[in-house]
Amino acid sequence: MKIVEQIKQPITYEMELFEQKFQLSMSSKVALLNRITHYIVNRKGKQMRPMFVFLVSKMVSNGEVSERTYRGASVIELIHTATLVHDDVVDESNRRRGFFSINALWKNKIAVLVGDYLLSKGLLLSIDNNDFDLLKIISIAVREMSEGELLQIEKARKLDITEEVYYEIIRQKTATLIAACCCLGAASVKPESSDVENMRKFGELIGMAFQIKDDLFDYGKEQIGKPTGIDIKEQKMTLPLIHVLNNASKKDKKWLINSIKNHNKDQKRVKEVIAFVKANGGLDYAVTKMKEFQVDALNILQKYPESDYRNSLELMVNYVIDRKK
């Protein structure tokens, strides 16, 4: 059995019902919108985010979920999808998970409007049901994701990034959404309990490990749909590079910064930078840090009694570290 299927097993029923509710939450009176949202729904990914919501909800409440849990999962998926649609416009990307992106098929103007529509649908789903606590969790996540992206752009211009700033960027950009999923799962069944903050922290730790793993792919040979060295070409400062930069001699540091600023489109030079980072322990250091986040996340889970849901979440944490793409 595939690892993702194994993780999903204790929540198979919830995930099937969620799909129906999620499709309904997107519906509109405009035929064009329905055509586009139908296209989105039929090209879904692994659906890790709703899985986090349901697994956490069931783990903290001895197997309970509520209508609020389904709404929370729908809202997070609506808002996440909206950000992806907008990202593809910003990045001028024509593909998403191997399929044409919305902007490639329907052009930028429609893609931006669809993203706005999904965002408003998510907000209204919470407001119409008085889920103001869930809405707050999600709104904070959206704000932080925007701040993280802008902080990364600001730092890419100057290349003056420290390890602390890098962690802040990935916490906001990536970890905050996974933290929101776990936080929502707990808040949907046990609002105002200590589980809400525990699970937020748990999600944040997984998110940090997830992003470091993603950054490591930039140095690997595995085919993950992202060509090696793309972060360097885009002047994105990731942990392996930051570590090596901060520990390099003055001469090497100058060469590295010059390579990233002025020769980032030169394939030979990018390969030399990758080789330098590998040779100087950048990857080993990033793997060590990633595993620290993994251990901290697993330690939080140990506070809960053993169950199928906890086991699935443990599998999820390990999958984040061991995945090949």
Side-chain angles (χ1 to χ4, degrees):
M1 191 190 293
K2 278 188 169 171
I3 184 85
V4 177
E5 291 309 311
Q6 220 177 319
I7 292 167
K8 213 185 265 192
Q9 210 157 14
I11 50 165
T12 308
Y13 170 76
E14 285 80 9
M15 288 300 288
E16 281 170 11
L17 187 53
F18 161 73
E19 294 223 0
Q20 296 165 26
K21 289 177 184 280
F22 181 54
Q23 268 178 301
L24 280 172
S25 71
M26 279 188 171
S27 66
S28 156
K29 291 189 181 80
V30 179
L32 173 62
L33 252 175
N34 284 335
R35 218 165 47 241
I36 296 170
T37 54
H38 181 74
Y39 179 82
I40 290 169
V41 167
N42 287 329
R43 279 150 192 81
K44 61 185 182 298
K46 296 187 191 78
Q47 293 190 298
M48 294 303 227
R49 286 156 196 86
M51 281 159 65
F52 272 123
V53 175
F54 290 115
L55 285 169
V56 165
S57 168
K58 295 190 98 169
M59 181 185 75
V60 303
S61 66
N62 300 322
E64 293 297 311
V65 293
S66 66
E67 275 305 313
R68 269 165 58 86
T69 316
Y70 286 101
R71 288 197 296 269
S74 292
V75 170
I76 207 94
E77 202 64 347
L78 282 164
I79 287 176
H80 174 60
T81 308
T83 62
L84 295 183
V85 172
H86 282 163
D87 280 353
D88 287 339
V89 174
V90 171
D91 298 339
E92 297 175 355
S93 172
N94 291 325
R95 310 288 280 187
R96 165 73 58 186
R97 298 190 189 111
F99 296 97
F100 284 116
S101 58
I102 304 300
N103 49 302
L105 291 173
W106 284 281
K107 301 288 179 270
N108 284 351
K109 185 174 182 177
I110 289 177
V112 170
L113 291 169
V114 168
D116 292 346
Y117 173 78
L118 295 173
L119 197 61
S120 66
K121 273 293 212 183
L123 302 177
L124 283 168
L125 185 60
S126 295
I127 291 165
D128 290 345
N129 292 283
N130 294 327
D131 296 331
F132 296 113
D133 57 334
L134 306 187
L135 182 58
K136 185 174 182 181
I137 292 166
I138 289 153
S139 301
I140 290 169
V142 173
R143 183 196 71 200
E144 295 217 310
M145 284 156 69
S146 310
E147 284 180 347
E149 284 286 357
L150 287 162
L151 180 59
Q152 184 169 48
I153 291 166
E154 181 192 339
K155 292 298 174 185
R157 286 177 178 167
K158 295 182 186 162
L159 299 186
D160 62 340
I161 190 162
T162 62
E163 206 171 308
E164 284 66 41
V165 170
Y166 166 80
Y167 289 136
E168 186 54 19
I169 288 171
I170 68 168
R171 186 190 67 73
Q172 291 187 316
K173 237 184 72 164
T174 305
T176 194
L177 192 65
I178 299 174
C181 295
C182 297
C183 193
L184 274 176
S188 71
V189 285
K190 292 178 78 179
E192 294 178 33
S193 66
S194 58
D195 296 315
V196 178
E197 177 54 26
N198 275 347
M199 288 295 103
R200 188 201 65 75
K201 190 69 198 153
F202 165 73
E204 190 176 277
L205 291 162
I206 295 185
M208 301 291 277
F210 181 91
Q211 187 57 54
I212 295 173
K213 178 72 173 183
D214 245 25
D215 294 347
L216 285 164
F217 282 135
D218 204 44
Y219 293 86
K221 290 193 167 53
E222 286 146 27
Q223 273 303 306
I224 49 139
K226 168 173 136 174
T228 309
I230 200 139
D231 286 340
I232 294 165
K233 289 181 185 114
E234 291 178 359
Q235 298 189 348
K236 277 185 189 160
M237 302 289 282
T238 60
L239 189 55
L241 181 59
I242 292 163
H243 176 71
V244 168
L245 253 179
N246 291 341
N247 291 282
S249 66
K250 222 173 183 172
K251 183 175 156 227
D252 287 339
K253 196 171 186 173
K254 199 175 170 185
W255 173 79
L256 277 168
I257 288 174
N258 183 30
S259 302
I260 297 154
K261 264 195 171 161
N262 306 313
H263 304 280
N264 58 338
K265 302 284 186 281
D266 176 345
Q267 230 162 349
K268 184 172 171 283
R269 189 74 168 251
V270 169
K271 276 184 180 163
E272 285 170 6
V273 170
I274 288 172
F276 185 88
V277 171
K278 284 180 177 174
N280 287 275
L283 301 197
D284 296 337
Y285 181 78
V287 168
T288 303
K289 286 291 172 191
M290 175 179 74
K291 288 188 170 163
E292 283 174 16
F293 286 119
Q294 176 195 22
V295 168
D296 288 348
L298 290 170
N299 284 341
I300 291 177
L301 289 182
Q302 293 310 309
K303 296 174 183 171
Y304 292 87
E306 212 229 326
S307 65
D308 289 345
Y309 318 115
R310 194 187 87 177
N311 293 343
S312 274
L313 285 166
E314 283 173 1
L315 269 178
M316 188 90 103
V317 175
N318 295 327
Y319 169 70
V320 159
I321 304 296
D322 300 331
R323 68 200 163 99
K324 297 285 182 277
K325 61 179 182 177

